Amino acid sequence: MGVLEALAAVSRYIPAVEKPARRPPLPTRLAWTGIVVLLYLIMSEIPLLGVLGYQQQQASQALASLILGMNIGSLMTLGIGPIVTAGIVLEVLVGGGLIQMDLTKPRDRKIFMGAQRTLALLFAVLEAAAYAVGCQFWVTTLGGGGCPVGTGIKLLVVAQLAFATLILMWFDELVRNGWGIGSALSLFIVANVVKGLAWQFAGPVPVPVGENQVDYYGWLAHVIKTGDFAILRHGLPDFVGFLATIAIIMILAYFQLMRVYIPVTSPRYGSIKTRIPLNFIYVTNIPILFVGIVVSDIAVFYQMIAGITGPDSAIAKGLAVLYHYVSPPRGLLEAAADPLRTVIFVIAWLLLGLFFGFIWVEIAGLSPRQQAENLIKSGMELPGLRRNVKLLEKILAKYIYPLTVISSLLVAGIAVLADIFGAYGTGSGLVLLVGIVYNFYQALAYERTLEMYPMLQRLIGE
């Protein structure tokens, strides 16, 4: 853990948001949560100093814009990408056993969180530097080679983007440490997906659809303009996508409420029999978040490499081909136009979803061994079994591992189908939206219960 400890030591010099001395009232926490999301949306519209008057080079990054909250040329050029990418790198290293850490121990957890903060800032500086060196923010129509700005402007842009990432870290710490409710990063994703849904449904943005032909991007705007319901449109929101959006949200909401029950008894209380519910979506929405971030990062890395080495370099071409085949198609027409890409996309997302599902189960304390230890510590046991962790682990593995496979493939499969049918907000965006909103509702209900019954706060040590 030498490297992680070094990164954690550096994080001590990075300012952080402390926990409140006393828990603020629920309305105050809701207000802080709303203010944080509003400030994030404002930051995504503030242009960087030094890029005004120039046109920014932009690759096709619809997925990155929704999941990572990127807006090229603004303070949110990097979005939440550096923060979540740092988390993914460390979690894969720990979950894969390359770094030996027990995240259930407070000391290891503290080192992990500190290393993640430092690594996020390092990623922000590296990504910002790649954008600046590749002259991604400064494109003129005057012709000629080279970059039209000097080193000083580039350093200024890098500093702005690194500081913007630090602000997002403060926002997340403020919400997580008790000033708000839930996770700021999750709410940022919700805000981006909802914004994308609104634009795809009714955005009156003109887009070229042919020679001297212009159409509106939003499906409802198109219907109002032309009177045509646009059952299918190539690369643009259509009626099939609208129906798919409603259907996917309903299916996801149904699966969120499904449970798998394991019978247990409690010898401490006269062998009372009860059942422990496990979420049918056992891996929650984390695997699809990881998959979406990995695919989005490929687009980000392509744009950075293309800016540095040129789009014709071998690395840039390789990343462009890779992104083409693993990025979601935009509707049925685009999926049918390139069946090879669609098949590779489906297989890649299912396999990645399964991989990240097992990684998440191991590092999030959801493995059979961790669940068996939790049951033993709480005084519970399975009927007919001795209070033995290994025996309990074997029995729980028969439930948990199949549930991990099924839920990982199910979540990835729903996201894939949503993208193929052109659902608004992308398939991964809808999966994240429903999961995050449901978790926020549960957190809000929990906080409301504590407000109504102060005795519970003392019992659970809040």
Side-chain angles (χ1 to χ4, degrees), residues 117-263:
R117 297 179 77 240
T118 304
L119 195 59
L121 284 182
L122 288 176
F123 279 157
V125 172
L126 290 175
E127 289 183 26
Y131 274 111
V133 172
C135 201
Q136 294 292 308
F137 302 110
W138 305 282
V139 182
T140 67
T141 58
L142 301 178
C147 198
V149 299
T151 304
I153 296 296
K154 293 180 180 179
L155 291 175
L156 176 62
V157 167
V158 172
Q160 291 176 79
L161 293 178
F163 187 63
T165 299
L166 180 59
I167 291 176
L168 291 187
M169 290 170 55
W170 289 340
F171 284 167
D172 191 48
E173 290 170 1
L174 184 145
V175 173
R176 284 181 180 274
N177 288 346
W179 295 99
I181 298 175
S183 164
L185 298 184
S186 296
L187 295 176
F188 296 159
I189 293 174
V190 169
N192 289 320
V193 175
V194 170
K195 185 167 64 173
L197 281 169
W199 278 107
Q200 288 180 286
F201 178 68
V205 180
V207 292
V209 294
E211 187 175 353
N212 299 323
Q213 291 183 337
V214 175
D215 196 0
Y216 282 132
Y217 178 71
W219 172 74
L220 183 61
H222 169 84
V223 173
I224 294 174
K225 175 188 175 184
T226 64
D228 174 27
F229 261 77
I231 303 300
L232 290 172
R233 291 200 296 172
H234 195 283
L236 293 174
D238 51 34
F239 185 61
V240 171
F242 174 69
L243 294 180
T245 304
I246 297 175
I248 292 298
I249 290 176
M250 293 175 65
I251 292 171
L252 288 169
Y254 175 76
F255 282 130
Q256 285 288 344
L257 299 175
M258 288 184 63
R259 300 289 184 269
V260 174
Y261 293 93
I262 300 178

Side-chain angles (χ1 to χ4, degrees), residues 139-434:
V139 182
T140 67
T141 58
L142 301 178
C147 198
V149 299
T151 304
I153 296 296
K154 293 180 180 179
L155 291 175
L156 176 62
V157 167
V158 172
Q160 291 176 79
L161 293 178
F163 187 63
T165 299
L166 180 59
I167 291 176
L168 291 187
M169 290 170 55
W170 289 340
F171 284 167
D172 191 48
E173 290 170 1
L174 184 145
V175 173
R176 284 181 180 274
N177 288 346
W179 295 99
I181 298 175
S183 164
L185 298 184
S186 296
L187 295 176
F188 296 159
I189 293 174
V190 169
N192 289 320
V193 175
V194 170
K195 185 167 64 173
L197 281 169
W199 278 107
Q200 288 180 286
F201 178 68
V205 180
V207 292
V209 294
E211 187 175 353
N212 299 323
Q213 291 183 337
V214 175
D215 196 0
Y216 282 132
Y217 178 71
W219 172 74
L220 183 61
H222 169 84
V223 173
I224 294 174
K225 175 188 175 184
T226 64
D228 174 27
F229 261 77
I231 303 300
L232 290 172
R233 291 200 296 172
H234 195 283
L236 293 174
D238 51 34
F239 185 61
V240 171
F242 174 69
L243 294 180
T245 304
I246 297 175
I248 292 298
I249 290 176
M250 293 175 65
I251 292 171
L252 288 169
Y254 175 76
F255 282 130
Q256 285 288 344
L257 299 175
M258 288 184 63
R259 300 289 184 269
V260 174
Y261 293 93
I262 300 178
V264 296
T265 60
S266 177
R268 293 182 183 178
Y269 303 102
S271 297
I272 295 176
K273 294 183 178 181
T274 184
R275 297 185 301 171
I276 293 181
L278 297 179
N279 293 331
F280 182 70
I281 306 296
Y282 191 67
V283 295
T284 65
N285 54 16
I286 298 298
I288 206 64
L289 172 62
F290 286 177
V291 175
I293 290 170
V294 168
V295 175
S296 300
D297 280 341
I298 293 174
V300 172
F301 293 148
Y302 162 73
Q303 187 164 341
M304 293 189 299
I305 296 298
I308 297 173
T309 64
D312 295 327
S313 67
I315 298 177
K317 286 184 177 179
L319 287 174
V321 172
L322 178 61
Y323 180 71
H324 172 75
Y325 281 105
V326 299
S327 61
R330 300 175 65 185
L332 279 172
L333 294 179
E334 189 170 309
D338 193 348
L340 177 61
R341 173 199 175 185
T342 303
V343 170
I344 294 175
F345 156 72
V346 171
I347 295 174
W349 277 59
L350 290 177
L351 292 178
L352 285 173
L354 191 59
F355 169 74
F356 284 120
F358 274 96
I359 290 291
W360 180 247
V361 164
E362 293 298 327
I363 66 177
L366 301 174
S367 65
R369 181 170 185 80
Q370 187 62 48
Q371 295 284 34
E373 291 177 353
N374 293 340
L375 280 175
I376 295 296
K377 291 177 182 177
S378 64
M380 297 290 184
E381 62 182 34
L382 295 182
L385 290 180
R386 301 192 308 271
R387 292 171 54 81
N388 183 292
V389 173
K390 290 186 177 180
L391 287 176
L392 203 54
E393 179 184 353
K394 289 181 180 180
I395 298 298
L396 291 177
K398 295 179 181 180
Y399 290 90
I400 290 177
Y401 285 137
L403 202 55
T404 300
V405 173
I406 293 172
S407 59
S408 298
L409 293 178
L410 181 65
V411 169
I414 290 174
V416 164
L417 282 177
D419 285 322
I420 291 176
F421 281 93
Y424 301 172
T426 73
S428 52
L430 291 179
V431 171
L432 294 171
L433 173 66
V434 174

